[in-house]
Amino acid sequence: MSFRANLLKTFRYFLRNGFVDTFYAARERLLEMRQQPYTYEAPSGKELTRERAMYESIVADGRENTLPLVSFLVPVFEPNLVYLKEMMDAVLSQTFQNLELVIADASTSDIPGQVVREKKSDKIRYVRLAENLGISGNTNAAAAAASGSYVALLDYDDVLTPDALYQVTRAILKKTPAPEILYSDEDKCDEKVSRFFEPNRKPDFNPDYLLSNNYICHLLVMKRELFLALGLRSEYDGAQDYDLILRAPWSNVCHIDKVLYHWRMHEGSTAGNPGSKSYAYDAGKRALEDYLRSCRIRATVKDSRHRGFYDIDYDPDILTQRPEVGVIGGKIINGKDRIIGGMMDGDGNVFFEGMHVMESGPMHRADTRCDAAAVDVRCMQIRDELRPLYRDVFNVSFERGVMPKDGRNATYLKQKSIEFCQMAQNLGYLVVFDPSMVVKIPEGKKNGQTGEA
């Protein structure tokens, strides 16, 4: 991103959030820039050769029909022809070839069609549309023309990694029953696809993080029959994929923890200039509001201080509106406003430890509600149904904002917190991290009264 674009982004952030938030956001950004730069680790030539040989062996043995056919859906309208060619090259050079590329073209001229036909590939299915139906309508038309058991959403100006389809195929075949939805990690690249940055290392499927932002984004793969049943809705153009995921069943979702998608950053792209498509954030907010209404959840959706992220205010609280949520926990900070406790993994490692409470972390995860393996009892709220379990674990009745007072140290409380949260999850409840809950524990104060969360 250019200096001018960064400056404009910072100014817009200041107008929305004020001086204090902008100061900490800018400081955090500077600290990130001083760290070791990200390097996309492409698969080695040896690995790609191995994958191609594996696919050729499957075909030679007559087992090609054991592989899922994946249809890449690409809507285009007056495309940049260089980007279009590079996208086609990236798809057609995949190490696994159990694919078709469906291009739905709504351009006014036949020039994009000529570029597609020059490829002379039987892997391409070209659909000429009589009118421009918008990104949702054009993508729906591509899906209707597809023949794969799965569809993958691909923007014409972006690029896949050469092993993307191999990794998707491997994930589909590995799981029984086969996943209905798959998504991968992603990064951004410059216009020439020569420099890569801002990797998005995503968590496994996380409902509350999804209700805060469309973290799934690219690469998104879905069973074709499910996609056709749901369809993209034009009223949410700009956030049509977010609306799609919100309406889809969440029972069989697979995360592929590898970067398989390069999101090209150029002047007209959301990646390059978020301000150029603010309508997408508004569409995402409306899609989220529609989802909550469909679930009969009474809540208000507000823009987070981070564009493209949302805060949900539940009426009167999340435990009342969402019976699947059992435990909520927030941040514990010291006298210097540094995080010393809060959201943890199953081994007791504290996420965002040492960060200033005003910092948001990678992909704003320290400042965004999400589901967690465990949260710390020193900043916790629980559902009434879990009070007996709480007493069994901590040997004391639950009281809001009050910790056990029998000399237990912070390490012991963390261990018991993990035990309690795991038992709650075994009963079918979600454990939710809520960054708006904050408890300050001054230096040297390890237990006892902590105040209201």
Side-chain angles (χ1 to χ4, degrees), residues 81-196:
L81 300 182
V82 173
Y83 299 164
L84 179 63
K85 291 176 182 178
E86 291 178 351
M87 177 277 297
M88 289 191 291
D89 289 341
V91 174
L92 297 177
S93 62
Q94 290 291 300
T95 57
F96 265 45
Q97 286 287 298
N98 48 308
L99 65 87
E100 67 174 359
L101 175 58
V102 185
I103 299 176
D105 183 13
S107 302
T108 56
S109 76
D110 190 44
I111 296 176
Q114 294 175 13
V115 171
V116 173
R117 287 188 290 272
E118 286 174 1
K119 284 294 178 184
K120 297 180 180 179
S121 172
D122 59 2
K123 297 289 186 182
I124 298 179
R125 182 170 298 199
Y126 177 73
V127 181
R128 185 80 156 103
L129 302 178
E131 60 177 325
N132 181 20
L133 304 173
I135 189 168
S136 291
N138 295 347
T139 305
N140 288 339
S147 57
S149 54
Y150 285 84
V151 297
L153 302 184
L154 175 60
D155 292 342
Y156 89 89
D157 52 351
D158 295 334
V159 177
L160 297 173
T161 65
D163 64 333
L165 185 54
Y166 164 75
Q167 296 293 348
V168 168
T169 301
R170 182 171 177 265
I172 292 172
L173 297 178
K174 188 177 180 180
K175 189 175 180 181
T176 303
E180 293 185 312
I181 299 169
L182 304 95
Y183 66 96
S184 75
D185 294 349
E186 64 189 282
D187 62 17
K188 294 177 182 176
C189 65
D190 61 9
E191 287 193 66
K192 296 182 179 180
V193 197
S194 60
R195 186 172 65 88
F196 304 94

